[in-house]
């Protein structure tokens, strides 16, 4: 991304979570009461500067079918995964490419452990200003670590108090597809070599066919074209059947992948009107 600009995709994801929170409790896939507060002034997803309306979401869903649903399902799944880790002794949380992630504020249990939010300095500056505006001060349990993944690596975490001996969870939500292989390797190897036994990693990914424009789906072609014209081009994809080998070679075990089939069945109850795109998936793994 442009070194002087905040991430537009971070704001887009927050806008989708904000719209979902405007729905009734029983209809929400994920619940982020703070998302709206982090939208930049005069920000628009498609054609409007306020909270996205039903009409705007409909336009977005037509442009890139299944993305709105995947964004919501991804947040929900990672929320549930984090909640599970908190019940088994999580000691540190590291959110890579944090954007406008609000988990440090939504999960009361995180107030008792150290949270590291790692992101590009331009995006992080806006995030911190919004946090201060919303809560009057920056939270004591959150460390903000400014990193450009294409120029720096996670060794900087140690300067902000990261403890290699603590059981940690690393979240990379909407990140890996925008990094090149060198940056991904440095990140994953840092995690596997500098985390306590039982630490975890969770991330979402897309497929090489999206980058190569060989997947004949409307959303795949539209997403590729949109990112080509932006400051955040797609750089990495991996096939489902390659994930196990890819992660095991970088020091991980207990590898699980989760496809849109799971989200559509569990979260959307096989509703044909609400289907997450199959061109994105989630993986998580453990540090042995």
């Amino acid at each position: 991304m442009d070194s002087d600009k905040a991430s537009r995709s971070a704001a887009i994801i927050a806008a989708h979570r904000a719209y979902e929170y405007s729905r009734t409790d029983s209809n929400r896939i994920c619940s982020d009461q703070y998302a709206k507060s982090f939208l930049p002034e005069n920000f628009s997803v498609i054609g409007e500067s306020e909270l996205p309306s039903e009409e705007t979401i409909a336009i977005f869903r037509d442009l890139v079918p299944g993305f709105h649903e995947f964004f919501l399902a991804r947040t929900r799944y990672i929320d549930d995964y984090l909640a599970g880790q908190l019940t088994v002794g999580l000691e540190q949380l590291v959110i890579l490419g944090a954007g406008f992630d609000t988990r440090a504020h939504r999960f009361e249990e995180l107030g008792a452990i150290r949270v590291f939010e790692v992101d590009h300095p331009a995006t992080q500056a806006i995030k911190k200003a919004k946090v201060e505006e919303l809560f009057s001060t920056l939270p004591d349990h959150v460390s903000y670590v400014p990193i450009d993944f294409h120029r720096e690596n996670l060794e900087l975490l140690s300067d902000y108090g990261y403890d290699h001996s603590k059981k940690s969870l690393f979240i990379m939500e909407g990140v890996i597809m925008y990094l090149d292989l060198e940056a991904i390797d440095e990140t994953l190897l840092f995690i596997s070599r500098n985390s306590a036994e039982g630490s975890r990693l969770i991330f979402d990914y897309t497929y090489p066919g999206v980058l190569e424009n060989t997947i004949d789906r409307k959303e795949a072609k539209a997403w590729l074209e949109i990112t080509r014209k932006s400051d955040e081009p797609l750089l990495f994809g991996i096939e489902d059947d390659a994930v196990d080998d890819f992660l095991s070679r970088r020091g991980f075990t207990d590898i699980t992948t989760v496809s849109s089939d799971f989200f559509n069945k569990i979260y959307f109850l096989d509703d044909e009107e609400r289907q997450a795109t199959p061109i994105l998936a989630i993986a998580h793994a453990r540090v042995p």
Side-chain angles (χ1 to χ4, degrees):
M1 62 179 287
D2 190 300
S3 60
D4 297 321
K5 293 182 179 179
S7 168
R8 175 170 169 77
S9 63
I12 289 174
I13 301 306
H16 284 271
R17 295 200 307 267
Y19 169 79
E20 187 69 1
Y21 191 71
S22 72
R23 291 160 53 85
T24 59
D25 288 358
S26 60
N27 288 322
R28 289 180 198 151
I29 302 303
C30 62
S31 188
D32 186 347
Q33 66 270 40
Y34 301 118
K36 183 179 179 181
S37 300
F38 287 90
L39 298 182
E41 187 176 356
N42 298 321
F43 174 79
S44 65
V45 177
I46 298 176
E48 51 180 73
S49 58
E50 300 298 329
L51 180 66
S53 65
E54 186 173 343
E55 291 75 16
T56 305
I57 293 297
I59 294 171
F60 185 91
R61 292 172 73 192
D62 181 65
L63 177 65
V64 280
F67 267 57
H68 174 67
E69 288 76 14
F70 182 82
F71 293 158
L72 304 180
R74 176 179 68 187
T75 294
R76 168 67 177 277
Y77 189 89
I78 295 175
D79 278 358
D80 290 347
Y81 192 82
L82 169 58
Q85 291 303 301
L86 285 166
T87 67
V88 291
L90 181 67
E91 297 175 296
Q92 285 181 148
L93 174 64
V94 184
I95 306 174
L96 304 178
F100 299 128
D101 188 298
T102 65
R103 292 184 174 96
H105 313 287
R106 291 192 287 113
F107 281 79
E108 184 177 346
E109 304 93 323
L110 291 178
I113 72 173
R114 175 58 52 186
V115 177
F116 298 89
E117 292 200 3
V118 182
D119 206 357
H120 191 279
T123 303
Q124 194 167 83
I126 293 177
K127 171 71 171 293
K128 291 170 69 175
K130 293 289 184 180
V131 169
E132 288 190 293
E133 182 181 320
L134 187 60
F135 299 104
S136 300
T137 185
L138 294 176
D140 292 336
H141 69 292
V142 179
S143 295
Y144 299 94
V145 185
I147 287 182
D148 182 338
F149 285 101
H150 290 296
R151 299 177 183 177
E152 302 163 295
N153 60 52
L154 290 182
E155 295 293 340
L156 280 174
L157 272 174
S158 297
D159 296 338
Y160 290 81
Y162 174 77
D163 189 337
H164 298 214
S165 68
K166 289 186 175 181
K167 185 178 178 182
S168 306
L169 170 62
F170 288 78
I171 294 174
M172 301 182 75
E173 183 175 7
V175 174
I176 275 190
M177 60 282 290
Y178 300 108
L179 300 180
D180 59 30
L181 183 57
E182 181 180 358
I184 293 170
D185 272 342
E186 287 185 355
T187 299
L188 298 186
L189 288 172
F190 173 89
I191 295 170
S192 64
R193 293 171 178 174
N194 296 278
S195 302
E197 178 184 352
S199 293
R200 302 273 175 163
L201 163 71
I202 186 167
F203 63 93
D204 59 311
Y205 61 95
T206 191
Y207 304 108
V210 175
L211 281 69
E212 297 159 1
N213 199 21
T214 57
I215 293 181
D216 189 22
R217 294 188 64 91
K218 181 178 181 179
E219 67 268 31
K221 295 181 181 300
W223 186 30
L224 180 62
E225 184 64 19
I226 290 167
T227 58
R228 280 176 173 173
K229 294 178 179 178
S230 74
D231 295 322
E232 299 170 277
L234 296 176
L235 298 176
F236 179 78
I238 185 168
E239 299 290 0
D240 284 334
D241 60 7
V243 172
D244 275 32
D245 182 64
F246 183 81
L247 289 176
S248 63
R249 287 175 178 271
R250 288 155 179 82
F252 294 90
T253 190
D254 291 349
I255 299 157
T256 299
T257 57
V258 185
S259 72
S260 61
D261 289 341
F262 174 90
F263 302 138
N264 293 334
K265 180 179 180 180
I266 303 301
Y267 298 153
F268 301 112
L269 306 177
D270 291 327
D271 181 352
E272 292 185 2
E273 297 297 318
R274 303 188 78 191
Q275 295 280 290
T277 176
I279 68 169
L280 289 155
I282 286 179
H284 49 84
R286 180 173 64 87
V287 176

